Amino acid sequence: MATSWRALQNISTFIRRLDSNFVRWQSTAHNLAVKKKIDVTRQQAYLGGGQSRIDAQHKKGKLTARERIDLLCDPGSFVEYDMFMEHDCTDFGMDQQKYPGDSVVTGRGRINGRIAFVFSQDFTVFGGSLSTAHAKKICKVMDQAMLVGAPVIGLNDSGGARIQEGIGSLAGYADIFQRNVMSSGVIPQISMIMGPCAGGAVYSPALTDFTFMVKDSSYLFITGPNVVKEVTNEEVTQEELGGAKTHNVISGVAHGAFENDLEALMRLRDLFGYLPLSNKDPSPVRPCHDPWDRDVPSLDTVVPLETTAAYDIHDVISGILDENEFFEIQPAHAKNIVVGFGRMNGRTVGIVGNNPKVAAGII
């Protein structure tokens, strides 16, 4: 009888162990399945709107949203937010067209070792148009930037509001505009226009501290040439309506223009090095190998003896700044006055100078 009882106990223990192993096996299988699904979804997010649209972007001489972030931020420093977020629109068949991360890549990274929050709109997904999910992602990084006191950089490449979402998309813009206003004077806000931006996509950049453009591929206009022709019967090109030349030379909306995406992002890294992280932080100090007390012989002759002769203020500015480095703001607009950033003994300084060479430097 005792032997039979022990045998039953052994059988019961064996069954419990078997059940435990089965549950553990089920849990492991479930975890592996979840991991596989995450990996597949992550790869889909990396591809954005698909390889064919990425190739089309490259044929236009443009980088993708992720390539731009990789060039802007220090290698390996970018931490992405909300990679798997998708839009929740079900109208017009949109429930059958979903992309992980939707049409914007957001997160934080470091530029020359200093923190920055970045969003990069993905033109390969619905033309970079703004959905409710898209707006939430941008608002999140703007909120985080204000919380920790760090700049926000927007790499804009968007066709504007996503018309399928109607008023929800417009409400998303309102949320972004509100944060633009709240951030003003608190943290630096920089916009780099890297594609055709229309409608709501142009209002936010106009509210930021600096707006830069890429020549021949970026445009800023409230509405496109086709609508202008329909309403006013006037034919106008994209470049004339809102190209880099128009906004850098005539309107003054933009603060600079660059030849291509690569140059734009490298120059943006340069500008970042002059700016404080917030209104509570001092501007950065860079080690300086240019002696602070060096002579500048050119200053003895740069100003002509004749009072009617003009000279170029750039010659004066470059002579007194560290290593002759000067980051000029709006170099093509109102050339009779020169403004920008430089360094003296490693410290950031702002430069404002009338330029006698253009319109006698008058204001």
Side-chain angles (χ1 to χ4, degrees), residues 47-345:
L47 282 175
Q51 189 60 49
S52 61
R53 293 177 182 173
I54 291 175
D55 293 340
Q57 189 88 334
H58 288 162
K59 285 180 181 178
K60 296 175 184 176
K62 298 166 60 179
L63 300 174
T64 65
R66 294 183 180 278
E67 289 169 343
R68 290 165 177 166
I69 289 176
D70 289 342
L71 284 172
L72 177 64
C73 296
D74 297 342
S77 69
F78 182 70
V79 179
E80 185 171 351
Y81 293 173
D82 303 317
M83 177 186 276
F84 301 149
M85 181 180 283
E86 298 176 344
H87 72 77
D88 55 5
C89 179
T90 57
D91 297 326
F92 308 104
M94 291 293 288
D95 54 332
Q96 303 299 317
Q97 304 180 64
K98 292 194 175 185
Y99 300 88
D102 204 51
S103 53
V104 66
V105 181
T106 61
R108 72 177 190 275
R110 292 190 176 274
I111 300 174
N112 297 322
R114 304 167 69 225
I115 190 170
F117 287 79
V118 182
F119 66 87
S120 180
Q121 294 175 320
D122 189 350
F123 196 77
T124 69
V125 179
F126 300 116
S129 58
L130 187 133
S131 64
T132 303
H134 183 134
K136 286 179 179 178
K137 292 180 68 173
I138 293 178
C139 288
K140 180 176 180 177
V141 294
M142 296 182 77
D143 288 339
Q144 290 291 309
M146 283 190 285
L147 180 65
V148 304
V152 172
I153 300 174
L155 307 180
N156 300 81
D157 193 356
S158 169
R162 189 171 300 172
I163 194 170
Q164 294 92 334
E165 296 201 16
I167 196 66
S169 176
L170 299 180
Y173 274 122
D175 292 335
I176 294 173
F177 301 160
Q178 178 64 41
R179 285 162 176 79
N180 285 138
V181 175
M182 292 170 63
S183 300
S184 181
V186 179
I187 55 175
Q189 300 179 80
I190 307 172
S191 297
M192 180 65 75
I193 312 302
M194 310 191 80
C197 295
V202 307
Y203 301 136
S204 178
L207 292 171
T208 59
D209 300 308
F210 299 100
T211 303
F212 299 99
M213 301 181 71
V214 179
K215 296 177 182 178
D216 301 322
S217 65
S218 66
Y219 307 95
L220 281 172
F221 35 64
I222 304 301
T223 191
N226 293 335
V227 177
V228 172
K229 182 179 180 181
E230 187 70 26
V231 175
T232 67
N233 203 32
E234 179 183 356
E235 292 190 6
V236 61
T237 66
Q238 282 189 324
E239 186 63 38
E240 292 171 334
L241 187 60
K245 183 177 180 180
T246 297
H247 288 309
N248 279 275
V249 177
I250 301 172
S251 72
V253 169
H255 298 88
F258 307 104
E259 296 296 332
N260 51 54
D261 283 12
L262 179 59
E263 183 192 1
L265 295 167
M266 293 300 100
R267 293 295 285 158
L268 183 50
R269 285 177 60 90
D270 291 341
L271 172 64
F272 190 83
Y274 291 102
L275 304 177
L277 295 179
S278 72
N279 61 358
K280 294 183 179 180
D281 289 319
S283 56
V285 179
R286 192 176 76 174
C288 178
H289 304 290
D290 189 357
W292 65 270
D293 58 348
R294 63 174 167 82
D295 291 332
V296 188
S298 61
L299 294 182
D300 291 336
T301 57
V302 69
V303 178
L305 295 176
E306 299 82 4
T307 57
T308 56
Y311 64 94
D312 192 341
I313 195 65
H314 289 94
D315 296 334
V316 177
I317 293 172
S318 63
I320 63 176
L321 294 178
D322 291 351
E323 299 165 1
N324 307 115
E325 291 183 355
F326 178 51
F327 192 102
E328 187 171 356
I329 302 298
Q330 292 184 306
H333 180 68
K335 295 182 179 180
N336 50 311
I337 193 164
V338 176
V339 298
F341 296 104
R343 293 186 181 87
M344 288 184 173
N345 199 25

